Amino acid sequence: MKGEMLHEQLFRRWIAACEEYAVKTEREKQVVHTVFAETRCYDISQFSGGRLPAGTPVSHTRYPDCNYVYGLDAAGKPCCYYPDVEDALPFSAGIFNYGNDFAEYIEYGNDDLLLPEKLDRMELQDGKPVAYLSLVMHLGRLPAACPKEEDDWHPLIGKYSFFYHVERYIYEGGRIVAAEGYASEPAGAPVHYRKYYRYGADGLPDEIRKETDSGCISYEYVRFPAADLERLTDELAVLVAASITEGIAAAEYEGPLTQVHLRYSDKKYYWPQVFVLPVAKDKDIVSRERETFTWGKADRQFVAHNVLAYQRPFTALMGYVRESGDYSAVENMLRKAACMLTKEQLSGRVSVTAAFIALALDTWSYTDVALCVSRQEEACSPVFTA
């Protein structure tokens, strides 16, 4: 089935789900156990063989930062996702549905319309995944009332748009070897892509590589190497620091730089967003004392850098982090990269001040400068600090 046909199939399913909010009550009655996690889990795209793995550590005890709450049925499959995250977009309920030929997750908004804001669905044939479909509503103005007939929804597609993502799997020898994908977003041109699966001698996936029709290559999965974690993070930090240095050098800033920030979002997004502070904007805000960063949007300057230079090992590390829950591994790697940038003074490629410093910072909790610096120094192994 072509991507566009799956796109239409998904849209029709979304229309039907608009009238199914009452299923929430049925799913809540099926809950036997409640589990907690530090991040979202139970991704429908991973459903296979009648199982839906959590994909990250979950606990029956609620520990600090375990703000994601799932209700499991007697078979251990998730049936409900409860809204219990303060900084998340509000929604009223997340429900899981299962059938002989599908598994799906629907997340409803909390406004008066109770429309499905997210719909993920795995189509099955003889128990095997054959197609993955995902729809996310483009948040914004919504219609004052829901049309009751399917045809009445079509004029709204352009005005109340969706992000679509559909894939059809290709099998050889009883396992997935490729996938044909189609993605579209509001006001954007559709993207067609293909995924290639490579397996190891043990029969498990080594790599899932994605290539668009335009030739853009990315990695969706890379098996974590057997080498020890510290060596991998040290090697990755070198690649990240080198790529950032090249990006800053290419920007050709006038005057010396006083700071570089590698920003990430704790437990959400770890690909570093790089910002610099030229000396002309320096407010003398970096010190060993307890102070607050006061950069405004006019002060900081975003710097693009080539993530392809370290994309494959970074993907492997993030796979390990999600499965183990060891988020400190990637945070320490970014701190090591920042240590290198500081110690090597951007390899002499860019003019910097005598007080120049690079810091890896969590976007939402970077107010304590002294704490950021001390954590960074603790994370750096002797190879970076000697």
Side-chain angles (χ1 to χ4, degrees):
M1 185 180 292
K2 296 293 185 180
E4 290 83 350
M5 295 175 64
L6 289 172
H7 175 291
E8 280 297 312
Q9 177 182 327
L10 178 59
F11 181 61
R12 290 193 298 272
R13 176 67 193 110
W14 180 84
I15 293 171
C18 289
E19 304 295 330
E20 297 177 3
Y21 181 76
V23 173
K24 168 178 173 286
T25 302
E26 298 177 23
R27 294 293 173 267
E28 289 175 339
K29 292 179 181 178
Q30 297 174 355
V31 175
V32 176
H33 306 288
T34 301
V35 295
F36 307 90
E38 291 186 293
T39 186
R40 279 185 180 253
C41 36
Y42 298 109
D43 183 352
I44 284 292
S45 69
Q46 302 305 305
F47 187 91
S48 181
R51 295 182 61 255
L52 181 57
T56 194
V58 297
S59 171
H60 290 279
T61 302
R62 186 165 196 168
Y63 296 104
D65 297 328
C66 286
N67 296 319
Y68 293 81
V69 186
Y70 290 84
L72 309 184
D73 63 18
K77 289 191 297 188
C79 47
C80 294
Y81 171 39
Y82 301 105
D84 199 36
V85 186
E86 292 181 359
D87 64 347
L89 291 172
F91 67 99
S92 64
I95 62 174
F96 293 81
N97 299 317
Y98 306 96
N100 292 331
D101 58 357
F102 76 94
E104 69 178 9
Y105 170 73
I106 306 173
E107 192 167 288
Y108 289 89
N110 72 344
D111 54 21
D112 293 338
L113 295 176
L114 295 174
L115 293 177
E117 293 184 351
K118 179 181 177 65
L119 194 162
D120 290 342
R121 184 178 176 93
M122 182 66 80
E123 300 281 353
L124 309 170
Q125 184 174 320
D126 298 327
K128 294 182 179 180
V130 292
Y132 171 69
L133 305 88
S134 177
L135 174 153
V136 177
M137 178 179 285
H138 179 47
L139 299 178
R141 292 186 60 191
L142 297 174
C146 295
K148 297 299 182 182
E149 302 297 330
E150 179 177 330
D151 289 344
D152 294 332
W153 273 105
H154 285 273
L156 299 175
I157 296 177
K159 191 174 182 181
Y160 310 107
S161 300
F162 305 92
F163 295 87
Y164 291 97
H165 175 195
V166 297
E167 293 179 356
R168 182 181 66 86
Y169 301 112
I170 300 170
Y171 282 79
E172 284 184 11
R175 65 187 185 186
I176 299 174
V177 295
E180 294 178 344
Y182 169 91
S184 65
E185 60 183 43
V191 175
H192 293 265
Y193 62 88
R194 190 176 178 90
K195 288 182 181 178
Y196 300 92
Y197 291 64
R198 185 164 62 83
Y199 293 84
D202 57 4
L204 298 175
D206 268 347
E207 172 186 291
I208 302 175
R209 182 169 55 89
K210 178 179 176 181
E211 184 171 347
T212 67
D213 283 352
S214 62
C216 181
I217 296 175
S218 60
Y219 294 90
E220 186 169 283
Y221 171 82
V222 177
R223 192 194 298 211
F224 189 70
D228 65 37
L229 177 62
E230 186 170 359
R231 188 175 75 179
L232 173 66
T233 56
D234 285 354
E235 293 173 351
L236 184 52
V238 172
L239 296 176
V240 171
S243 179
I244 291 174
T245 298
E246 289 294 330
I248 295 174
E252 299 182 346
Y253 288 100
E254 293 184 8
L257 300 181
T258 184
Q259 294 178 45
V260 173
H261 287 185
L262 284 61
R263 296 193 176 192
Y264 61 90
S265 184
D266 184 34
K267 299 181 180 67
K268 294 180 181 177
Y269 189 85
Y270 285 96
W271 293 90
Q273 304 294 297
V274 181
F275 293 87
V276 300
L277 185 68
V279 69
K281 298 287 186 179
D282 190 0
K283 292 181 173 57
D284 194 28
I285 59 177
V286 171
S287 73
R288 299 290 170 157
E289 304 299 325
R290 185 179 182 87
E291 294 193 25
T292 301
F293 283 106
T294 58
W295 286 17
K297 289 185 178 179
D299 300 324
R300 69 189 188 192
Q301 298 181 25
F302 174 76
V303 180
H305 70 286
N306 181 20
V307 299
L308 298 179
Y310 58 84
Q311 184 187 74
R312 195 176 188 282
F314 193 96
T315 301
L317 177 60
M318 286 309 304
Y320 161 80
V321 167
R322 282 190 295 268
E323 292 178 6
S324 67
D326 181 12
Y327 295 96
S328 65
V330 63
E331 291 168 359
N332 287 339
M333 183 279 293
L334 293 174
R335 289 171 183 146
K336 290 177 181 179
C339 282
M340 291 191 66
L341 293 171
T342 302
K343 180 184 176 184
E344 297 181 1
Q345 302 283 283
L346 298 177
S347 301
R349 301 282 302 280
V350 180
S351 176
V352 298
T353 65
F356 170 77
I357 188 171
L359 289 170
L361 302 170
D362 172 13
T363 303
W364 300 113
S365 59
Y366 59 84
T367 56
D368 190 339
V369 179
L371 180 60
C372 289
V373 173
S374 65
R375 283 179 175 174
Q376 188 156 296
E377 291 176 343
E378 289 174 6
C380 293
S381 62
V383 68
F384 295 108
T385 57

